[in-house]
Each structure stands twice: as C-alpha cells, then as structure tokens.
Amino acid sequence: MKRRDFSLAALTAASSGLPFVAHAQGKKPEEGIEYLTLDKRVPTEAGEGKIEVIEFFWYSCPHCNAFEPRFASWLKAVPKDVVVKRVPVRFRDDFEAQQRAFYVFEALNMVDAMHGKLFHAIHTERQNLNTLATLSAWADKNGIPAAKFTETFNSFGVATKARRATQLQEAFKVQGVPALGIAGRFYTDGSLTGTMERALQVTEYLIAEARRSR
C-alpha cells in the first residue's frame, strides 16, 4: 500500500485483492525501475560479512497480510550470510501501538508465536486492534498477560526500538508496505516491481550484488 493511501477507502479497495500490474519475470532488475539505490547508505546491524534484509510492514495492511506467508517461507531458505529483520512502520501517530506491539513480542521472545496471530486477528477475524487497550486485551487471550504486555509496551527498550524503526523507515524513504531494504543500500517494493513475488526475486539479485561488492 502506498503511504499516501492509508485511509479507510484505500484499505477497502486493497482488501478486494486488486492485483498490481506484473512486470516480466526472470529478467535482470533495472535500477530506478524495479529497485532504487539510496543516496546515503544506512548503517546496518548485521555484523561483519553479513548482508541485512529488512521487511517493512504494518499489521493492518492487507498487502502485508497477504505477503506474510510467502515471506515467512522465503526466510527459511535465506543463505547463512543474510540476516533478515522485520521493521514495523509508523506513517501516522496511530500506527505506533501496532509498531510497539511487534517489539513487545520481540522482547518476550514471542515473535514466532504472536506475529502471524495478530495478522490473523486483524484480517480474518476482523478485530480492531490499534490501541494499547485493545492490543493488551487481545494479548491476554493469546498467552501474554495484559499487565505484562502493558509493562513491556511502555518500557524504555520498546520505545527506543519503535523510534529506531521509524528512523529506518525514513532513511529508506519507504513509500508503501510491504517493502524491502537490502544491505543498507537498496530499496524495492511491489509498486516498483509489479508483485511482491518479483520483489523477492529483485531482493535475491541485490543480495548477490551486495555480496560481490564486499
């Protein structure tokens, strides 16, 4: 979803499953068309000899929900020198509760258990989960006591990670989600490539480029 389109009308249209216009598959990605090279490199936390890939997402985005199973499958086959992390975006102030929710899951070592569940609750069960109150009540029913969720949500560590996520979003000039940042140097998304499947192909190409230039 495009950043400028985060409105009720856009969410309704996106939920209808209207496809992007697909680009030709299998060709060499074109810089400036299917991916962008950042003007300024973004420092990564992947470590020496590692290539960082970031998935930018928002829990209430239907395209992110549709992409999540494919991305989770792709993650299982990434090479050992690739470090992948998810970064929740905050395009508006009301995104912050869901942004912090992800870092609550991370702080409690429960991303694997809770990440997909929250997508499911929002998009399949149609629950309105975009405030601390609603998220903590939902978490309480899904294995995280409300008091523990709230305490962690309000912690310095989660607040710091949420601020850092927004800084990364701005550094990569994310215009819509889901989107992918590669090696602190490249950016791609479904609007550029036509489909998120193609975006993963472009990401694999850019990983190889980053590896060659090390």
Side-chain angles (χ1 to χ4, degrees):
M1 293 179 64
K2 284 289 192 180
R3 184 170 185 164
R4 64 176 178 270
D5 291 338
F6 285 99
S7 65
L8 179 60
L11 284 174
T12 301
S15 297
S16 68
L18 296 176
F20 290 113
V21 177
H23 288 219
Q25 305 292 302
K27 65 175 183 176
K28 179 180 177 180
E30 296 183 59
E31 183 178 3
I33 296 178
E34 291 192 295
Y35 71 92
L36 305 175
T37 300
L38 303 183
D39 296 332
K40 183 179 180 180
R41 287 197 181 194
V42 179
T44 71
E45 301 174 350
E48 187 68 27
K50 302 290 186 178
I51 300 166
E52 184 178 81
V53 174
I54 297 173
E55 182 216 13
F56 294 98
F57 74 95
W58 176 42
Y59 279 117
S60 286
C61 168
H63 291 311
C64 297
N65 178 58
F67 181 54
E68 172 56 26
R70 179 65 185 97
F71 186 68
S73 176
W74 183 82
L75 276 178
K76 296 175 182 178
V78 295
K80 292 182 179 180
D81 65 341
V82 175
V83 175
V84 180
K85 68 179 182 180
R86 293 179 169 98
V87 171
V89 298
R90 188 176 76 184
F91 292 151
R92 298 191 312 252
D93 288 345
D94 60 343
F95 284 34
E96 185 176 4
Q98 289 184 3
Q99 184 184 51
R100 287 197 182 207
F102 175 79
Y103 291 113
V104 171
F105 302 155
E106 190 174 80
L108 299 177
N109 295 314
M110 295 187 71
V111 171
D112 289 346
M114 304 298 286
H115 186 65
K117 280 187 179 181
L118 186 50
F119 272 120
H120 181 81
I122 292 169
H123 297 279
T124 302
E125 298 174 353
R126 302 295 183 184
Q127 295 189 50
N128 187 17
L129 302 173
N130 55 12
T131 65
L132 171 57
T134 56
L135 285 162
S136 62
W138 173 83
D140 194 65
K141 297 175 182 177
N142 286 274
I144 304 176
K148 184 64 174 178
F149 183 93
T150 300
E151 177 188 8
T152 310
F153 183 99
N154 289 324
S155 68
F156 176 78
V158 165
T160 299
K161 286 187 174 183
R163 284 195 298 272
R164 174 57 178 159
T166 303
Q167 291 169 354
L168 280 171
Q169 161 200 319
E170 296 300 332
F172 276 91
K173 301 178 182 179
V174 177
Q175 292 301 307
V177 286
L180 297 159
I182 301 93
R185 297 166 51 191
F186 308 111
Y187 171 86
T188 189
D189 62 24
S191 293
L192 291 170
T193 62
T195 68
M196 286 308 298
E197 184 65 36
R198 176 60 175 168
L200 287 177
Q201 294 176 1
V202 172
T203 296
E204 290 171 357
Y205 167 82
L206 294 172
I207 289 170
E209 287 295 294
R211 190 178 289 124
R212 279 193 288 269
S213 64
R214 279 195 305 223

